Amino acid sequence: MIRFEDILDRVESYKPDFDEELLQKAYIFSAREHRGQTRSSGEPYLVHPLNVAYILAGMRLDETSIAVGLLHDVLEDTLTTKETLQELFGEAVAELVDGVTKISRYAYVSKEEQQAETFRKMLLAMVSDLRVVLVKLADRLHNMRTLQYLPEEKRLAVAKETMEIYAPIANRLGMGQIKHELEDLSFRHLHARDFEELNKAVEEKMAVSGDVVDRIKVMLAQKLEENDIEGDVHGRVKSMFSIWSKLRRQDIDIGQLYDYLAFRIITPSVKDCYAALGIIHQMWRPVPGRIKDYIAMPKPNFYQSLHTTVVAEKGQPFEVQIRTREMDLIAEQGIAAHWKYKEGRVGAHPDDTNFLWLRQLVEWQHEIKDPRTFLNSLKIDLYPDEVYTFTPKGDVFAFPRGATPLDFAFRIHTDVGSHCVGARVNGKLVPLRTHLKNGDIVEIVTSPTQSPSREWINMVATSRAKHKIRHWLNAEQKNRSIELGRKLIEREAKRYKVQWRKLIAENALDGVLTEHGLPRLDDLYADVGYGKISARSIVERFVTDEQKEKGPAPEQPAGVLQQAVRKIFPFSSSATIKVKGYDDLLTYLAKCCNPLPGEPIIGYVTRGKGVAVHSANCPNVKNLMFNPDREIGVEWAEQRQTQFQVELEVLIEDRQGILGRVVSTISNLKTNIRQMEARTGDGKATVELVLEIADLKHLERVTRSLGSVEGVLRVDRKYNIRHATA
Ligand code: MN
């Protein structure tokens, strides 16, 4: 049973001038807040924070970390708020406790190995101060030590998470002691039968071989002394989990268990390490392939040691690890071995050669921009370029910083991305351009009538989403060009009285296609639609010289083509430019003359850019570029024949599924949503919608239907219509 005084003693042993008052205050506060609560073991809850603080003191952390250990569960399990912590204990403590609480929110759902790796990175990336991770590790360690009191299902889930997430994090931070204990405790619960069996087998072996550990220890110590090498010798049974992993890895039966003893020699210098290794190899035969020099080649977590396995009396093999005192400290405590205490602040000192170790640790994934910034506050951002987010089911997706719900939607599936109209992040409705943050739980709302627009390209950060949007837009543009090209050719054919459909039926066009190197008729249409090939040049191929001489019949009265083309562009998106029959990608107002609505206009099929709309008086059209068969009749559309953008403000209850119902109600009425944004607060949300509405009747239909959706509180029309930027 750990008492508060034990913690004070431990801290005092490495930091005599520590702030005792802070710890007293934290202890009293925690005791008061957790009063009446008990753990599954039946003990008072306070036992847990006391143990966590004690473990942290074992890592020789600063008093802020110890206070956080005492307080680490008050935000999650009591009514205490972050503001209260801030008032009583200051910014640092409040932030750290908040950080620990946030990590606890994300339960790891067992997934394949790659998911575990992503999850580990996500946890580390969420943390802005390494101390949060250390407190979390101490918290997990004590919970694992008392895991037997939990029901089986919970026990297995926690053990699995520990094995796959927390033990590797401890390993990554070089904290060998904690890593081994976490692994052994997890192993005991995850593979209870194997653990029992192995434990029994080791005990039996030990009983048979008697005092083998002591005998080898004595022999080692004697030999070292004979050779004038200073060295402490320790002997032990290897950790259960490491024995078991090895048996499994090498497919060895427990009956064949030999390699379960490990010895460690701690020497004052590196030179002594190699000398000791030589002596051991003189005494016993080394097992080939088992000599490892991690002094010359440290592990990525900066573990250094010499390893060898030798065979002693009666064929008993055992492992020997040889390292210096400093290397041993790093192997056992990892990053925690590097704390220095200067002016009451935790952090490695720049003069410290070990500082390099700490810096390299942080650089394990990405370069940090300025190591000094890092050292000043011990703030870490291990993955500054990535953010880690969740699906509601718990899958983790990593994105570059700046990613939005659209990136998320395209990551799930191209169809989800293409139809994405909105998103809930952590249960709240957010605009599509919101930047995702670490730990966000993202739920995508789709609508069958939604489709990608050009603005989306600037709203996404992943190349995957950009590529998919471009692909969709290009395909869409091509479809429109095909339709436009077909209409242009059919118009021309009509004027020359050429029976175009008959030509198609008789395969009379094959020659034309081959000549232009086009595989299909649609490709020809597309090229005509893009203005690469003129419709007249195609049609004239099937015209007699006499007809050619006569020239084409005068153009049909305006309207036929326009009406046909309008079908291709069922929804106009621009509120300011209304060119009858054309819109969007294929129509634009020529910059040279910028025609005003109402003024006579002429369309011109450009090369690859669609139809340029010029003023009929524009000198450019008249002189330079004009080519009669690229001309196309256009006129200003009457406003009422087009779709209007109407903005609605819908007040809804902010709860599960409601946004989906709103969206499907609108799309069931064959109505396009141009924009959707939402603000939330007080359990309610205000959704701003920009809809494409044909007329008042249409609007009334939409308003009425929305009003009857369950959870919709009010529907209002807003009159400051936003113009889409074209
Ligand atoms: Mn806890």
Side-chain angles (χ1 to χ4, degrees):
M1 175 94 175
I2 300 296
R3 296 166 311 138
F4 179 57
E5 287 69 28
D6 299 327
I7 297 168
L8 296 181
D9 288 348
R10 235 187 194 189
V11 179
E12 196 179 15
S13 73
Y14 60 85
K15 199 177 182 224
D17 61 339
F18 75 105
D19 182 356
E20 189 179 334
E21 200 186 322
L22 172 70
L23 297 190
Q24 290 281 2
K25 225 165 72 176
Y27 170 59
I28 290 163
F29 185 83
S30 180
R32 202 180 64 210
E33 292 302 302
H34 287 299
R35 184 162 47 203
Q37 298 177 346
T38 49
R39 305 198 84 212
S40 302
S41 61
E43 292 172 299
Y45 196 88
L46 190 64
V47 169
H48 173 61
L50 281 173
N51 271 279
V52 171
Y54 189 69
I55 293 169
L56 292 167
M59 296 181 196
R60 304 166 62 89
L61 293 189
D62 65 330
E63 50 273 76
T64 306
S65 311
I66 312 289
V68 171
L70 290 167
L71 296 166
H72 80 271
D73 272 332
V74 299
L75 286 185
E76 197 169 353
D77 297 334
T78 77
L79 296 173
T80 310
T81 63
K82 192 177 166 189
E83 287 69 36
T84 310
L85 286 183
Q86 213 159 332
E87 269 169 46
L88 293 174
F89 301 99
E91 184 80 29
V93 170
E95 281 301 326
L96 290 168
V97 174
D98 191 48
V100 178
T101 309
K102 274 189 187 137
I103 287 192
S104 313
R105 272 216 321 252
Y106 302 111
Y108 167 67
V109 193
S110 164
K111 291 277 150 66
E112 69 269 31
E113 178 54 26
Q114 209 197 334
Q115 280 280 328
E117 172 65 19
T118 312
F119 195 93
R120 287 195 292 269
K121 281 188 177 179
M122 193 265 325
L123 282 191
L124 292 172
M126 270 174 61
V127 165
S128 58
D129 190 315
L130 204 47
R131 286 176 291 185
V132 169
V133 179
L134 301 178
V135 174
K136 187 63 202 171
L137 285 174
D139 175 43
R140 180 51 58 105
L141 184 58
H142 183 245
N143 283 336
M144 286 304 295
R145 284 176 183 168
T146 52
L147 196 63
Q148 67 270 27
Y149 299 107
L150 293 186
E152 185 178 6
E153 200 184 325
K154 186 96 212 276
R155 217 165 61 212
L156 292 179
V158 174
K160 197 164 169 53
E161 187 183 58
T162 303
M163 186 67 98
E164 292 175 7
I165 305 299
Y166 290 102
I169 285 178
N171 181 47
R172 190 60 257 196
L173 298 175
M175 308 172 87
Q177 220 164 33
I178 288 184
K179 174 208 153 190
H180 283 303
E181 191 177 348
L182 289 176
E183 277 175 353
D184 268 1
L185 289 166
S186 305
F187 167 52
R188 184 184 289 242
H189 291 282
L190 288 175
H191 305 276
R193 206 183 302 159
D194 285 7
F195 176 82
E196 294 296 338
E197 215 179 316
L198 185 61
N199 205 28
K200 220 175 96 204
V202 171
E203 270 172 20
E204 281 167 9
K205 291 265 179 191
M206 294 293 282
V208 172
S209 54
D211 51 1
V212 61
V213 174
D214 284 339
R215 267 183 290 134
I216 293 173
K217 250 169 74 177
V218 170
M219 282 174 79
L220 275 170
Q222 273 174 0
K223 274 282 178 194
L224 290 176
E225 214 186 311
E226 280 171 27
N227 289 276
D228 273 337
I229 295 168
E230 244 184 87
D232 298 336
V233 182
H234 308 268
R236 65 188 167 96
V237 174
K238 287 182 175 176
S239 94
M240 286 294 151
F241 178 67
S242 66
I243 300 175
W244 181 76
S245 311
K246 197 165 166 194
L247 290 179
R248 270 230 311 205
R249 213 165 45 231
Q250 302 180 349
D251 208 14
I252 301 171
D253 188 75
I254 282 191
Q256 308 295 114
L257 170 71
Y258 293 109
D259 190 6
Y260 59 93
L261 292 178
F263 293 83
R264 186 173 298 160
I265 300 172
I266 310 292
T267 66
S269 74
V270 173
K271 196 182 71 191
D272 294 335
C273 292
Y274 289 102
L277 183 71
I279 290 165
I280 290 164
H281 286 171
Q282 279 171 19
M283 293 165 73
W284 296 293
R285 184 168 54 82
V287 177
R290 292 289 302 276
I291 305 164
K292 302 265 164 63
D293 185 351
Y294 294 118
I295 291 181
M297 304 264 285
K299 287 190 183 183
N301 64 6
F302 304 95
Y303 174 88
Q304 284 188 297
S305 191
L306 297 175
H307 288 190
T308 185
T309 300
V310 294
V311 184
E313 41 174 319
K314 295 178 204 154
Q316 168 73 58
F318 58 89
E319 187 185 68
V320 187
Q321 302 175 347
I322 311 160
R323 57 203 186 214
T324 65
R325 217 165 293 286
E326 198 192 355
M327 291 171 187
D328 189 53
L329 192 66
I330 290 170
E332 294 295 308
Q333 302 196 3
I335 198 165
H338 292 279
W339 299 148
K340 293 281 164 182
Y341 296 96
K342 291 255 169 171
E343 294 139 32
R345 203 177 55 202
V346 176
H349 194 269
D351 300 335
D352 187 347
T353 48
N354 288 331
F355 139 77
L356 211 63
W357 186 91
L358 199 57
R359 212 178 74 188
Q360 278 172 316
L361 176 81
V362 174
E363 285 170 349
W364 96 57
Q365 197 70 18
H366 287 285
E367 302 264 304
I368 57 168
K369 273 146 207 143
D370 182 2
R372 275 161 309 172
T373 328
F374 163 70
L375 285 166
N376 283 342
S377 62
L378 205 78
K379 288 262 174 194
I380 53 161
D381 200 350
L382 292 170
Y383 307 96
D385 302 329
E386 290 170 38
V387 345
Y388 295 85
T389 58
F390 289 91
T391 67
K393 280 186 194 155
D395 288 316
V396 187
F397 287 153
F399 293 104
R401 285 278 156 105
T404 62
L406 273 178
D407 289 294
F408 194 97
F410 277 101
R411 171 67 68 85
I412 297 173
H413 195 276
T414 307
D415 278 349
V416 176
S418 302
H419 294 118
C420 175
V421 282
R424 294 173 73 96
V425 171
N426 305 324
K428 302 281 181 198
L429 303 168
V430 300
L432 278 183
R433 40 179 85 248
T434 310
H435 286 188
L436 296 177
K437 295 190 303 299
N438 270 315
D440 278 350
I441 300 168
V442 184
E443 199 182 327
I444 298 298
V445 186
T446 59
S447 155
T449 57
Q450 175 72 316
S451 61
S453 70
R454 213 151 265 282
E455 299 106 72
W456 281 18
I457 292 175
N458 298 322
M459 287 165 63
V460 296
T462 55
S463 50
R464 178 195 167 89
K466 273 202 173 75
H467 173 79
K468 296 285 181 193
I469 295 166
R470 283 221 177 86
H471 183 81
W472 195 94
L473 291 174
N474 288 342
E476 183 69 3
Q477 190 172 12
K478 180 158 189 194
N479 285 338
R480 292 176 180 200
S481 298
I482 289 170
E483 283 302 302
L484 178 61
R486 192 165 62 82
K487 295 293 170 193
L488 287 170
I489 287 186
E490 284 174 357
R491 174 188 72 162
E492 214 57 30
K494 211 163 202 169
R495 290 167 73 190
Y496 278 106
K497 301 203 164 36
V498 167
Q499 290 183 292
W500 185 251
R501 275 161 209 278
K502 209 173 143 214
L503 291 176
I504 298 173
E506 289 167 356
N507 294 327
L509 297 166
D510 292 355
V512 180
L513 292 179
T514 319
E515 203 175 292
H516 286 92
L518 298 168
R520 294 176 318 132
L521 184 58
D522 273 354
D523 298 309
L524 177 68
Y525 287 150
D527 276 3
V528 172
Y530 277 128
K532 285 183 198 160
I533 303 173
S534 89
R536 180 172 299 178
S537 73
I538 298 295
V539 173
E540 279 186 340
R541 302 278 298 263
F542 305 96
V543 169
T544 58
D545 287 347
E546 189 192 342
Q547 271 175 304
K548 233 184 255 177
E549 202 109 321
K550 251 169 64 189
E555 185 148 16
Q556 294 281 320
V560 176
L561 175 61
Q562 280 80 355
Q563 275 167 26
V565 177
R566 186 156 55 240
K567 282 190 200 140
I568 310 167
F569 312 115
F571 301 111
S572 81
S573 63
S574 161
T576 51
I577 312 161
K578 290 291 178 195
V579 177
K580 189 173 179 181
Y582 302 94
D583 196 4
D584 250 23
L585 304 173
L586 285 183
T587 313
Y588 65 97
L589 293 180
K591 285 206 182 74
C592 50
C593 51
N594 241 334
L596 291 170
E599 130 178 60
I601 43 176
I602 279 174
Y604 182 77
V605 182
T606 64
R607 292 192 185 275
K609 280 166 72 188
V611 177
V613 176
H614 291 264
S615 158
N617 300 319
C618 177
N620 281 334
V621 178
K622 277 185 184 150
N623 304 330
L624 289 171
M625 322 182 290
F626 209 65
N627 175 347
D629 60 33
R630 294 231 219 140
E631 180 192 345
I632 183 166
V634 287
E635 57 186 82
W636 296 103
E638 288 171 55
Q639 285 291 320
R640 52 159 52 162
Q641 287 176 329
T642 66
Q643 301 278 332
F644 291 87
Q645 295 198 26
V646 174
E647 189 166 337
L648 291 184
E649 198 175 81
V650 185
L651 186 69
I652 60 174
E653 293 167 18
D654 186 8
R655 57 174 146 105
Q656 202 79 16
I658 183 161
L659 197 60
R661 288 201 295 277
V662 166
V663 169
S664 64
T665 302
I666 296 168
S667 49
N668 285 344
L669 292 167
K670 305 255 179 297
T671 306
N672 260 19
I673 302 173
R674 291 292 305 168
Q675 284 181 47
M676 182 165 86
E677 277 183 24
R679 298 185 306 269
T680 54
D682 286 347
K684 286 176 190 162
T686 307
V687 185
E688 286 180 9
L689 292 160
V690 179
L691 303 180
E692 290 180 344
I693 298 289
D695 52 29
L696 196 58
K697 251 194 188 149
H698 182 190
L699 178 63
E700 281 167 1
R701 223 166 38 236
V702 172
T703 317
R704 216 170 30 243
S705 302
L706 279 179
S708 63
V709 171
E710 196 201 329
V712 169
L713 304 170
R714 218 175 59 220
V715 183
D716 290 315
R717 177 161 176 203
K718 287 185 73 179
Y719 286 93
N720 55 335
I721 294 171
R722 239 180 288 173
H723 297 293
T725 44

